[in-house]
Amino acid sequence: RPVPSRVPAGCPPGTPPKRHRGRMASARRDDGADTLIFLDVDGVLNVGVRGDRGAPLLLSNDNMEALFVGSDNCADVEPQQEVVLKIWSAARRYCHAVCEDGKLLSETLVERLVNIMRSAGPRTHVVLSSSWRHLRHLDSCEVLEAAVSLRLGRRFKFDGRTEIVEETSQADRIRLIGDYIEQHCLNSGAKALSVLVLDDLFVAPLNGWICCGHQIRDVWDVERYLRGRAPQGCEVRAKFLHCYEEWETDGGVPVQAGVGLTDKDVETAKLFLSGELGISGLLAVPVKWGSRLSGSRRLRRWAHRYGA
């Protein structure tokens, strides 16, 4: 049975009712708004598997050779059977992201980062929030900048770094990103800001830890905290992509890994940066009101499809 149209006379087909139009327009990114991309490196531009000693093991040809062939060329490899199973399981899942020729970066994952950067507007700042921002990683950071420059087709340098202090927890990483957002808004006088965070948070889950009094149980809690760090008068859109997964091997050995940027992450980031992905991951596009899938059912389907 046809549904009566609520579209005002003279409006083109597909125009939402008046009470919805302002909400959708505000979800779209203002072309004049600043964009901040916060980049972690380990677990985002490479794959790291948590070992028994706590430190992640890089998924690389060198480490796999040291594990499977028994070479002791790599000092940080743990020659236990469980570690071999974890690395092997990760290699089967993420063979495309293995670091080769002694490099600390996966060429495939760097290319995915550049793909995201190309979708960002001209007023975008890429901020290094990784432990690579410390002076001891200066050489590695320059290698990363050169790799991005090569693929981007122009000279690339990080526009900023979060405060250079030692981090002891996931909460420290998120708090420092929040500090940078607050200071950027105050210094620039920005009225609108888009924030994209790419991080594996030290190969750790979002399982209820506390950040400045806020309980972090999922990506929405992280995004809510970051939006709340903006001073009054600055509207912030935030998207957090948690490059982390956990699973069990065929033998039941638990695996935790920073798995790098996935194709789905790239798609989600590009939608967000274009303004088509609004708050809570819902697509900020006009709905064909009166259709069978209009309303919350359609929005839930979009949210599921695009990882909200």
Side-chain angles (χ1 to χ4, degrees):
R1 170 173 152 182
V3 178
S5 173
R6 293 176 288 170
V7 177
C11 291
T15 303
K18 185 174 181 179
R19 66 177 179 273
H20 296 283
R21 274 183 255 161
R23 197 178 312 160
M24 290 189 168
S26 64
R28 289 186 177 276
R29 182 169 65 95
D30 181 359
D31 289 338
D34 287 333
T35 300
L36 299 180
I37 299 177
F38 290 92
L39 177 67
D40 182 22
V41 179
D42 292 322
V44 176
L45 300 182
N46 57 36
V47 174
V49 180
R50 183 176 292 282
D52 293 341
R53 296 176 187 170
L57 301 174
L58 181 68
L59 186 63
S60 67
N61 284 342
D62 291 345
N63 276 358
M64 287 192 291
E65 181 181 351
L67 281 168
F68 300 126
V69 180
S71 166
D72 29 70
N73 293 335
C74 186
D76 65 344
V77 166
E78 303 166 275
Q80 287 113 353
Q81 183 64 23
E82 275 197 2
V83 176
V84 173
L85 293 174
K86 290 178 181 180
I87 290 288
W88 174 242
S89 179
R92 290 172 61 187
R93 286 173 173 245
Y94 302 103
C95 58
H96 61 276
V98 173
C99 296
E100 300 178 348
D101 304 324
K103 297 177 182 177
L104 300 178
L105 301 169
S106 162
E107 294 186 6
T108 300
L109 300 183
V110 172
E111 184 61 46
R112 288 177 180 174
L113 170 66
V114 171
N115 196 0
I116 291 173
M117 291 171 59
R118 288 196 184 104
S119 301
R123 296 182 58 182
T124 297
H125 288 181
V126 182
V127 181
L128 188 61
S129 54
S130 167
S131 59
W132 283 37
R133 70 189 187 279
H134 290 271
L135 190 60
R136 62 181 178 270
H137 296 296
L138 180 60
D139 291 342
S140 298
C141 184
E142 290 177 348
V143 170
L144 170 56
E145 289 174 331
V148 173
S149 298
L150 180 65
R151 290 162 177 79
L152 202 56
R154 59 177 173 82
R155 187 171 182 268
F156 167 78
K157 286 284 186 183
F158 285 103
D159 298 287
R161 289 164 169 76
T162 53
E163 186 181 357
I164 301 179
V165 296
E166 293 297 334
E167 300 158 306
T168 59
S169 66
Q170 307 95 300
D172 287 342
R173 174 64 55 83
I174 297 301
R175 176 181 57 80
L176 290 173
I177 291 174
D179 290 346
Y180 193 100
I181 292 171
E182 181 178 4
Q183 199 59 47
H184 175 83
C185 291
L186 292 173
N187 292 343
S188 66
K191 301 300 181 185
L193 185 67
S194 297
V195 174
L196 175 65
V197 180
L198 312 173
D199 209 305
D200 73 331
L201 295 181
F202 305 105
V203 195
L206 307 176
N207 56 2
W209 41 269
I210 303 298
C211 177
C212 300
H214 299 263
Q215 189 174 25
I216 306 297
R217 296 157 297 186
D218 50 41
V219 295
W220 294 286
D221 286 336
V222 175
E223 293 166 2
R224 189 179 302 113
Y225 169 77
L226 295 178
R227 290 196 301 270
R229 289 301 307 271
Q232 189 173 6
C234 181
E235 181 182 351
V236 170
R237 298 171 59 248
K239 187 64 183 174
F240 174 60
L241 296 179
H242 191 205
C243 303
Y244 167 86
E245 284 190 20
E246 54 185 50
W247 67 92
E248 290 187 354
T249 67
D250 294 338
V253 177
V255 183
Q256 293 177 301
V259 299
L261 290 169
T262 64
D263 285 330
K264 185 177 180 181
D265 289 335
V266 174
E267 181 182 9
T268 302
K270 291 170 71 173
L271 285 170
F272 174 77
L273 292 171
S274 69
E276 295 178 22
L277 197 64
I279 296 173
S280 300
L282 299 180
L283 288 180
V285 296
V287 177
K288 191 173 181 180
W289 300 97
S291 64
R292 290 176 58 195
L293 291 177
S294 64
S296 60
R297 183 179 173 190
R298 167 167 283 192
L299 295 179
R300 284 197 301 270
R301 177 173 293 186
W302 279 342
H304 175 74
R305 178 178 178 184
Y306 292 102

